Amino acid sequence: MKYLLILLVFTLCSFAEYYQEYNPNDDRFKILALKKSISIYRNAEEDYKRSNELFEKGMISKEDFDSKKMYLENSRLNFMQYYLNLIFENPHLTILSAEKRVDNHGNSEVYLKIGNSGSSSYDFDEIFKEYGDLADDLKLVPPSLKNIFISLKDDYGSIISQPYEYHISSFDFDKTCEISFKLLKDVENLTVSANYNGKIDEKKIYLKRLSEVNRLTVNSDIFSQEIMSSESGEYGLELEYYGDSREFFKFEVQNLPKFYTWELTEKNGRSVSSIVMDKKNFKRNLILKISVPDFTGSNIELDKSFIIKTVFKSESSEEIANAELEVIPTGKAIIEFSSDNMYYLFEKSEEMKLGPFKIKNDGMKKINDVKVIFTAPNGFDYKIDSEKFSELKIGEENHFFVTLNPNPDVTPGIYNVKVKCEGKASGRIISTSTNELKLELKAKASIITISILSIASLMLIGFVSYIIIKFTKN
């Protein structure tokens, strides 16, 4: 029994020596587990080399040599397990750089450089540098990431890049890849979204600005605008400068017809004619005001568009950037409503005729599809004699009447009716303000009541006459 216990203890110790058991606690300390496995593997290599020399000299048995060899193999497999688990349990793409550039046409582009760095552990890079040769010797070739989709998004989650998604079919470990996108929306920061390995990894980054030469881009918030005669229209201009030096730019407007005027202002209303920009102040937002003169019949052409060109020049008068804008001068479309009477008094049994109402084109455009919008009180039926006019020429005036019929159960009182007119001019709907009329409905007096009131009036007149005659005689 004594010898049996000694044999059992020896066997357990030998098993512990020659087989590295996987420790569940090492899942929480993968870097430490990897370091431990590397140390054990190195020791097993040295032990195997010494055992090989002793076996060749016949100083140890074949069983002892085979056990050392098995221990080395187990240590190697243990190291491979930790190494591969650490690299591929959490695959990771790293954004190495993100640069914003502008091409010769003023279009913004983004150049991304990404890397497949495997695990994101803070200590793994150092271990890989120190023991990467061991992984190479053991032919541990990390599998590449497959089917990676990368896109650029704004703060609202909308994709703002072209292509919308960049597809990388295969990406090897510890390699880099450069990708270029065209920006559909000009931004200074964006979100890089990477979809791979069953997960979506998003990082918000600030773009680094690059330019081989000093360059200025100009964009307008709107391209085309209708501007009424004698009024002004505003175009927002967004300037962006790419360069390292401080540059001066002069501004001018080309192709603007005679009698028109322009003014360039900042948001605070201050007028400017030139600007200075550098790498710190690389963005400016300005407002270009175009004023259309008052139409006199021959000075401007209404409803005929033309293109103006906004130009920024260097100090040497070289054109640096420009933007084309469309101006559409148009006349005012005005429709007016009027009535000579705004208060009507009727008895309940009478037909109620309101009007005449006048509707006039007091603008500089023909008005089509003119209609009357009439709102009657509850219990009233109405009819408009000319509810719709096909058109109103400039200066033309039309009239219409409204007939009201109260229902029998309508009680006497004061009621409000509303009248409004609207039409179309150049595809736009124009209308008058809502006009409110007062309508008083009185109860109809009966014949008996009228007779009594008449007799009472005659008696009163006779009595007054009697008093006056008597007083005169006296």
Side-chain angles (χ1 to χ4, degrees):
M1 186 66 179
K2 177 180 178 181
Y3 295 104
L4 182 60
L5 291 174
I6 294 174
L7 179 61
L8 180 60
V9 172
F10 178 77
T11 303
L12 292 175
C13 292
S14 299
F15 182 78
E17 178 184 1
Y18 293 111
Y19 178 72
Q20 174 65 28
E21 178 106 20
Y22 179 75
N23 184 356
N25 291 329
D26 288 340
D27 281 342
R28 295 175 297 170
F29 308 99
K30 296 187 187 322
I31 293 294
L32 298 177
L34 178 60
K35 289 182 177 181
K36 180 179 177 181
S37 67
I38 292 173
S39 177
I40 293 174
Y41 180 68
R42 295 296 195 196
N43 292 333
E45 274 190 320
E46 296 297 327
D47 198 15
Y48 173 75
K49 291 177 182 179
R50 288 193 298 269
S51 298
N52 188 37
E53 294 175 358
L54 294 175
F55 177 69
E56 290 178 353
K57 295 178 180 180
M59 299 179 65
I60 60 173
S61 65
K62 188 175 185 308
E63 289 78 7
D64 290 339
F65 174 72
D66 288 341
S67 66
K68 297 294 184 181
K69 185 177 180 180
M70 182 180 293
Y71 178 62
L72 174 63
E73 181 64 18
N74 287 336
S75 300
R76 183 181 72 85
L77 292 174
N78 203 42
F79 163 72
M80 293 171 64
Q81 171 191 340
Y82 282 114
Y83 183 83
L84 295 176
N85 182 51
L86 185 63
I87 295 178
F88 302 110
E89 185 184 55
N90 185 23
H92 184 72
L93 291 181
T94 303
I95 302 175
L96 302 175
S97 64
E99 300 173 346
K100 179 183 175 182
R101 306 176 188 177
V102 61
D103 61 16
N104 294 329
H105 303 287
N107 300 315
S108 296
E109 299 177 329
V110 170
Y111 290 80
L112 283 183
K113 185 176 182 181
I114 61 174
N116 180 0
S117 60
S119 173
S120 59
S121 174
Y122 73 98
D123 204 18
F124 177 73
D125 291 339
E126 296 300 324
I127 292 179
F128 183 76
K129 291 177 183 178
E130 184 176 354
Y131 301 108
D133 58 333
L134 178 59
D136 294 337
D137 292 341
L138 297 176
K139 301 186 184 307
L140 296 180
V141 181
S144 58
L145 287 173
K146 305 293 184 183
N147 291 324
I148 305 170
F149 295 90
I150 297 179
S151 59
L152 307 182
K153 299 180 180 181
D154 62 10
D155 292 339
Y156 304 99
S158 301
I159 295 177
I160 57 173
S161 58
Q162 186 68 266
Y164 295 116
E165 284 188 319
Y166 191 96
H167 179 218
I168 303 175
S169 58
S170 181
F171 195 9
D172 293 336
F173 173 73
D174 203 35
K175 300 296 182 181
T176 61
C177 176
E178 293 188 358
I179 311 170
S180 65
F181 295 90
K182 289 187 180 297
L183 282 182
L184 302 176
K185 175 183 177 182
D186 196 19
V187 293
E188 291 304 312
N189 54 72
L190 48 76
T191 298
V192 178
S193 178
N195 187 342
Y196 63 95
N197 203 42
K199 70 174 184 178
I200 297 178
D201 185 13
E202 294 189 335
K203 296 181 177 66
K204 190 168 185 178
I205 60 174
Y206 187 84
L207 298 173
K208 183 179 179 181
R209 303 162 50 82
L210 289 180
S211 178
E212 296 178 356
V213 295
N214 294 338
R215 189 182 301 278
L216 181 71
T217 63
V218 53
N219 294 288
S220 175
D221 56 352
I222 53 176
F223 166 72
S224 179
Q225 184 175 178
E226 281 191 355
I227 306 176
M228 294 286 185
S229 62
S230 74
E231 294 185 3
S232 299
E234 295 184 351
Y235 299 81
L237 300 181
E238 184 181 79
L239 309 180
E240 188 166 7
Y241 173 67
Y242 294 81
D244 295 327
S245 61
R246 183 179 174 87
E247 293 292 329
F248 171 86
F249 300 102
K250 296 181 292 184
F251 177 78
E252 63 182 49
V253 177
Q254 299 177 355
N255 306 328
L256 192 65
K258 188 179 179 181
F259 304 120
Y260 288 75
T261 59
W262 64 268
E263 182 183 17
L264 187 67
T265 66
E266 296 181 312
K267 286 190 174 182
N268 58 11
R270 184 177 61 180
S271 297
V272 296
S273 59
S274 59
I275 57 172
V276 176
M277 303 186 75
D278 54 37
K279 63 181 180 180
K280 291 184 178 180
N281 301 301
F282 57 85
K283 267 200 171 184
R284 294 283 293 273
N285 288 289
L286 303 175
I287 298 173
L288 175 62
K289 294 182 179 180
I290 302 295
S291 298
V292 178
D294 192 11
F295 178 70
T296 59
S298 60
N299 59 337
I300 61 175
E301 293 186 81
L302 295 179
D303 301 317
K304 184 177 181 180
S305 65
F306 58 89
I307 301 296
I308 63 173
K309 187 178 181 182
T310 61
V311 180
F312 287 87
K313 294 183 177 181
S314 64
E315 288 187 276
S316 59
S317 297
E318 177 187 0
E319 184 174 313
I320 303 300
N322 67 76
E324 292 187 340
L325 305 173
E326 184 179 47
V327 179
I328 307 174
T330 184
K332 293 181 180 180
I334 303 174
I335 183 171
E336 286 190 347
F337 169 86
S338 62
S339 175
D340 295 333
N341 189 9
M342 304 297 286
Y343 175 82
Y344 295 87
L345 176 63
F346 295 96
E347 288 189 351
K348 187 172 180 180
S349 61
E350 290 182 304
E351 183 182 67
M352 307 165 67
K353 192 170 185 179
L354 311 183
F357 300 117
K358 302 174 185 177
I359 181 171
K360 182 181 179 180
N361 183 349
D362 202 29
M364 292 182 286
K365 283 186 175 183
K366 182 177 70 173
I367 303 173
N368 300 310
D369 299 329
V370 180
K371 62 181 180 180
V372 178
I373 302 173
F374 188 84
T375 305
N378 292 331
F380 286 79
D381 298 324
Y382 71 91
K383 181 180 178 181
I384 304 174
D385 61 350
S386 298
E387 188 171 352
K388 190 172 183 180
F389 309 95
S390 60
E391 66 176 24
L392 276 178
K393 297 178 181 179
I394 299 174
E396 184 179 1
E397 181 179 284
N398 274 327
H399 303 79
F400 66 92
F401 292 87
V402 179
T403 303
L404 280 172
N405 289 302
N407 295 335
D409 58 346
V410 173
T411 59
I414 296 177
Y415 296 87
N416 295 326
V417 296
K418 297 180 180 179
V419 186
K420 180 181 179 182
C421 300
E422 67 176 33
K424 293 180 181 178
S426 300
R428 294 183 177 180
I429 295 178
I430 59 172
S431 64
T432 67
S433 58
T434 300
N435 296 270
E436 192 170 277
L437 311 178
K438 295 291 184 181
L439 174 65
E440 183 174 356
L441 185 63
K442 295 174 61 178
K444 185 177 181 181
S446 66
I447 296 177
I448 297 175
T449 303
I450 294 176
S451 299
I452 293 174
L453 290 175
S454 299
I455 294 171
S457 298
L458 291 174
M459 291 177 66
L460 180 61
I461 293 172
F463 177 74
V464 171
S465 300
Y466 171 77
I467 295 299
I468 293 174
I469 292 171
K470 189 174 182 179
F471 178 79
T472 304
K473 287 182 178 181
N474 293 332

